[in-house]
Amino acid sequence: MKTLVTGATGYIGSHLVPRLLDAGHDVRVLSRNPDRLPAAWRDRVEVSRGDATDDRALAAALENVGVAYYLLHSMDGRGDFVARDRQLATRFAAAAREAGVHRIVYLSGLHPSGELSPHLGSRVEVGEILLGSGVPTAVLQAGTVLGAGSASFDMLRHLTERLPAMIAPKWLDRLIQPIAVDDVLYYLVRAAELPDEINRSFDLGGPDVLSYREMMQRYAGLAGLNPRLIVTVPVLTPKLASLWVGLVTPIASGIARPLVGSLMHDAVRDEFDAEQLMGVPPDGPADFDTAITRALRDVDPQLWIRSLGLVAAAVGATALSGGLLTDPGSSWYRRLRKPSFQPPASVFAPVWTSLYALITTAAAATIADAREAGRNDDADRFERALAANLALNASWSGVFFRGHAPVPATLVAALLALSSADLARRAAPYGPGKAAALGAYAAWCGFATVLSSAIAVKNRRRRQ
């Protein structure tokens, strides 16, 4: 009989399929976009084109299937993912029962008892729906999965690499039992061989129990980074925390917020039956350091530092040159008639300092994320657009304060506002936080254009 894998374009699914093939399974995958399936194994599987929300496509995919892997979730930031996951699991459970599937295997999350975050609560609910389907089901509950490309691992490494010092939520000290992706895949494959009478959940985890703070410090050491300064406060909600996660990491906000929310709970094993019923990985369970060392073979932990250094140098040079050219104490500037909406002089320095910090962070993150995704052309184009923007930024001060030319300065400010908006547009595919940061810069440049224009109009008859 066939082995069906849903979610085969996802991180776990794309790594599970070749493991199943190597174990002798005749694999079928259900995919809306077969072209997105990894080329390494696409031609070795049967592809059933369709969507799991389509009953006919689901029935066709489940025909003559012995084991069905349910690796679907709706955590994409669009709408109520809890309700969508409930409906999706209910539809899949009914279709699997109707098709005579022998076993369902589902990957869920480690969790404590009691009230849970929406993310973990939904994972638990989906597991309960599948367990009650009438089809023998194995629900494997894993904590943070350590492997290059895993959303949980990517959030851990990007926060560690990009924030040498941070103010973080107090629940960063909750306990987690992470597990290497290779060990998760081992248990997913073995779960297909469980006896028919087994219909239950299993806890999975590696040998280490650590806080997220400890995981970050351990990652920093293994990646050759300096120890991180982490100060925890009790006031950062998951929503607020996910905003800075979205700014400095490539994790989409629709995924970051649920992941951040799940850190409010301990994620530690309560039982160890998986080893007794499914054995242990051939080399034994990988500890945290081993799992991270394996993952580091496929990532460049220094990429962010290089990107940040490049951008910080350019932004710093712009700020310095603009500051040297600016002269608000000159007699020419003091004689100018100014509009009523011009902010006090004391406002400009802190605003520009904040904006330069946002530009540096968002631009460096955009460049690093583009290069990590293999989109070097995007990164190169963004760097060129940033260089043009910073040149306009510095030149405005020269044209206005040194050239005593409000009209040309207004034109420069308008070009700067358009350039800044273009940077926000280019950053948007790499996260709304980055686009928002550069959008704030564009908004201020737009205000500067209006202000420059008003000054030019008020002083048009004066000799410059």
Side-chain angles (χ1 to χ4, degrees), residues 241-253 256 365 369 430-434:
S242 67
L243 292 177
W244 55 259
V245 171
L247 175 62
V248 301
T249 81
I251 308 299
S253 59
D369 292 351
Y430 300 96
K434 303 172 188 65

Side-chain angles (χ1 to χ4, degrees), residues 53-357:
T53 61
D54 182 334
D55 289 338
R56 284 186 295 180
L58 200 53
L62 287 165
E63 184 178 357
N64 195 36
V65 164
V67 179
Y69 284 89
Y70 187 81
L71 303 174
L72 302 173
H73 62 77
S74 305
M75 200 172 64
D76 55 12
R78 296 186 301 228
D80 185 352
F81 76 86
V82 174
R84 285 187 290 150
D85 274 347
R86 181 186 304 121
Q87 295 166 3
L88 201 60
T90 301
R91 177 179 279 110
F92 188 89
R97 181 176 62 250
E98 181 69 21
V101 172
H102 296 175
R103 173 163 297 284
I104 296 172
V105 181
Y106 169 58
L107 181 62
S108 184
L110 276 179
H111 60 87
S113 58
E115 185 176 354
L116 299 173
S117 69
H119 170 222
L120 283 178
S122 177
R123 290 292 182 93
V124 172
E125 182 183 26
V126 167
E128 291 172 346
I129 290 170
L130 298 176
L131 287 168
S133 66
V135 178
T137 297
V139 176
L140 307 185
Q141 300 179 151
T144 297
V145 177
L146 302 176
S150 158
S152 296
F153 171 75
D154 282 350
M155 189 168 80
L156 169 70
R157 83 174 186 87
H158 283 107
L159 288 176
T160 306
E161 291 171 6
R162 300 182 179 187
L163 294 174
M166 69 194 78
I167 298 175
K170 200 167 186 62
W171 26 269
L172 220 63
D173 291 320
R174 292 285 191 179
L175 295 178
I176 300 169
Q177 194 162 2
I179 183 170
V181 64
D182 289 338
D183 294 349
V184 172
L185 295 171
Y186 167 84
Y187 285 110
L188 283 168
V189 173
R190 291 302 304 272
E193 305 166 10
L194 288 168
D196 290 347
E197 65 271 15
I198 291 180
N199 185 62
R200 53 163 292 187
S201 63
F202 295 89
D203 287 355
L204 302 182
D208 299 303
V209 176
L210 305 164
S211 69
Y212 207 85
R213 181 202 299 264
E214 291 172 323
M215 288 167 60
M216 294 178 76
Q217 298 291 19
R218 293 269 285 272
Y219 177 87
L222 292 165
L225 307 173
N226 294 325
R228 281 15 208 166
L229 174 62
I230 304 173
V231 178
T232 56
V233 294
V235 295
L236 281 179
T237 66
K239 182 176 181 178
L240 288 174
S242 67
L243 292 177
W244 55 259
V245 171
L247 175 62
V248 301
T249 81
I251 308 299
S253 59
I255 297 174
R257 187 175 301 177
L259 288 179
V260 169
S262 68
L263 296 178
M264 296 176 66
H265 309 290
D266 289 336
V268 180
R269 297 180 71 175
D270 289 327
E271 48 84 10
F272 297 83
D273 295 348
E275 287 86 345
Q276 297 179 16
L277 291 171
M278 291 180 276
V280 297
D283 297 325
D287 60 19
F288 180 85
D289 289 3
T290 299
I292 295 297
T293 301
R294 291 175 185 169
L296 284 171
R297 297 171 188 161
D298 299 316
V299 301
D300 179 2
Q302 303 296 322
L303 175 61
W304 162 253
I305 295 174
R306 293 196 301 273
S307 301
L308 181 64
L310 175 69
V311 173
V315 173
T318 300
L320 178 61
S321 60
L324 292 174
L325 291 170
T326 299
D327 187 11
S330 68
S331 59
W332 172 82
Y333 180 74
R334 285 187 282 107
R335 289 197 306 269
L336 287 177
R337 290 190 292 270
K338 303 174 183 67
S340 59
F341 59 85
Q342 174 159 318
S346 59
V347 168
F348 289 93
V351 167
W352 274 112
T353 299
S354 300
L355 287 175
Y356 283 137

